[in-house]
Amino acid sequence: MRQVGTNFVWLLSEKVFRILFGVLIGAWVARFLGPYEYGVLSYAMAFVGIIAPLSGLGLDSIVIRELILSPDSNAEILGTSFCLRAIGGIAIALLSLAGAMIFHGHDTTMVWLIGIFGFSVFLQVIDIPDLWFQSRTQSAFVVKSHLVGLVVSAAIKVGLIVFGVASVVFFALSGVAELIVSLGVVLCYYLGSGPSIHNWRFNSRHIRNWLNESWPFMLTGILGFVMLNRVVQVLLKNVGSNFDAGIFAAALRVAEFWYYIPMYLMASAFPSVVEFCKTDSRNLTYHLRPLLHILNLISLFSVAFFAVFSDSIIQLLYGRQYEKAAEVLFWLIVCSLPVNYGFVLNVVLVVHRKTHIFFGALMMGLSVLLLS
């Protein structure tokens, strides 16, 4: 349990630093660009974000589980997952660019932005060493690499602001620089501890079983959290305005932190849950009970906190021009409550190889939402 707690602290500390850099620097960027230009940048991210979950093919939890259960086949698992995820990343990058040309061909800046964010998706999904360290509950190495990339990205954004370069394309490219630096650093860590990359090999026998389990995660990644948040941004831009999209993006940037807490907690506990189920799968609910209690406390605290301080937080970070984002922020926090339990359900179903149930549960929830 100590290793789980340490791993969780590392993951959460990264998010805290990312909030400090991302929100503070992001708020500075938002002030510098203004709601309209910031809305354009956010819309391009949302455009790619709608289909981005398809790039990883929903394989993350499944690959981590297999790395734990089959240590003798790790090189084969890593090689196969790299090939599959690289193909998915390239496909999403090209699809994003094609969509940009079709829907925004008249807007050169938007095409560039969507193309850049599409390439960013590819860089994210080929980060296979991240999965290796997660399976070992050693996310400290991943966090350190991400922080290095974050500092580089923040430095570039500050430079653009200081020198008055009000180009949304350059701000988007700062994110690419972050991913390239992070990938390079984590690869250096991996070379000193993981199976040699030269030993990675592709084995087609994994494809059918993995994709049979992962397809619900591919679809739920679109229909779930990402869809409900990012599609709103796209609709705000098309039905409303870039100003409305910027307001929503500002609230979402703050709210996302609270969505990551249960995700990091369950990600840290996942390897120990898999190990536990090797010997006593019947008592899995008992093993997860302390985590459920923690999630309940986090949920109650977050709703109470933002009910009181959402206005102050938005005005402090973004200024009075974003004051309408306070109410949006509160309701995004309220919506996080059922999402927390979704992360627990995800762990249970992956361990028992019943991922299709998760898709069914989400579809029922979306049906209620659409009919209400």
Side-chain angles (χ1 to χ4, degrees), residues 263-305:
M263 184 176 73
Y264 287 158
L265 182 61
M266 298 312 300
S268 299
F270 183 64
S272 66
V273 171
V274 175
E275 291 285 355
F276 178 82
C277 288
K278 284 183 179 180
T279 56
D280 192 8
S281 60
R282 294 182 179 180
N283 292 321
L284 178 59
T285 303
Y286 178 80
H287 187 65
L288 292 174
R289 189 175 299 173
L291 296 175
L292 290 171
H293 292 327
I294 294 173
L295 289 178
N296 286 331
L297 291 175
I298 292 172
S299 299
L300 293 174
F301 171 78
S302 60
V303 171
F305 179 82

Side-chain angles (χ1 to χ4, degrees), residues 17 40 46 52 62 65 75 103 106 122 133 136 146-147 161 176 181 203-204 208 230 236 266 293 352 366:
F17 279 106
V40 171
I62 295 168
R65 183 196 65 201
F103 296 106
H106 60 283
F122 169 75
F133 286 120
R136 265 59 186 169
H146 287 176
L147 290 179
I161 294 173
V176 174
V181 172
N203 192 326
S204 59
R208 182 176 180 180
R230 303 303 185 187
L236 283 173
M266 298 312 300
H293 292 327
H352 291 296
L366 287 176

Side-chain angles (χ1 to χ4, degrees), residues 127-145:
D127 188 4
I128 300 301
D130 184 3
L131 302 181
W132 163 263
F133 286 120
Q134 284 189 57
S135 70
R136 265 59 186 169
T137 322
Q138 296 176 342
S139 293
F141 298 108
V142 179
V143 171
K144 292 175 183 177
S145 66

Side-chain angles (χ1 to χ4, degrees), residues 205-226:
R205 69 182 178 87
H206 294 297
I207 297 178
R208 182 176 180 180
N209 292 333
W210 287 2
L211 294 182
N212 188 48
E213 286 190 70
S214 70
W215 69 264
F217 291 135
M218 284 191 284
L219 296 181
T220 54
I222 295 178
L223 299 175
F225 170 78
V226 176

Side-chain angles (χ1 to χ4, degrees), residues 209-358:
N209 292 333
W210 287 2
L211 294 182
N212 188 48
E213 286 190 70
S214 70
W215 69 264
F217 291 135
M218 284 191 284
L219 296 181
T220 54
I222 295 178
L223 299 175
F225 170 78
V226 176
M227 190 71 169
L228 293 177
N229 287 283
R230 303 303 185 187
V231 166
V232 171
Q233 283 185 254
V234 176
L235 291 177
L236 283 173
K237 197 270 183 183
N238 288 306
V239 179
S241 65
N242 281 320
F243 180 86
D244 295 325
I247 292 296
F248 184 83
L252 183 62
R253 177 61 64 88
V254 180
E256 280 180 337
F257 174 77
W258 299 94
Y259 283 82
Y260 278 100
I261 291 177
M263 184 176 73
Y264 287 158
L265 182 61
M266 298 312 300
S268 299
F270 183 64
S272 66
V273 171
V274 175
E275 291 285 355
F276 178 82
C277 288
K278 284 183 179 180
T279 56
D280 192 8
S281 60
R282 294 182 179 180
N283 292 321
L284 178 59
T285 303
Y286 178 80
H287 187 65
L288 292 174
R289 189 175 299 173
L291 296 175
L292 290 171
H293 292 327
I294 294 173
L295 289 178
N296 286 331
L297 291 175
I298 292 172
S299 299
L300 293 174
F301 171 78
S302 60
V303 171
F305 179 82
F306 281 96
V308 178
F309 296 108
S310 59
D311 289 302
S312 301
I313 291 172
I314 290 298
Q315 290 196 30
L316 175 64
L317 294 175
Y318 295 101
R320 296 190 62 84
Q321 60 181 337
Y322 285 90
E323 61 183 356
K324 293 183 178 180
E327 184 178 357
V328 178
L329 172 60
F330 172 73
W331 286 110
L332 285 173
I333 295 299
V334 172
C335 292
S336 72
L337 302 183
V339 174
N340 294 349
Y341 297 101
F343 290 121
V344 179
L345 179 62
N346 175 42
V347 169
V348 174
L349 295 178
V350 170
V351 169
H352 291 296
R353 303 177 187 271
K354 296 181 179 179
T355 56
H356 60 282
I357 297 177
F358 189 80

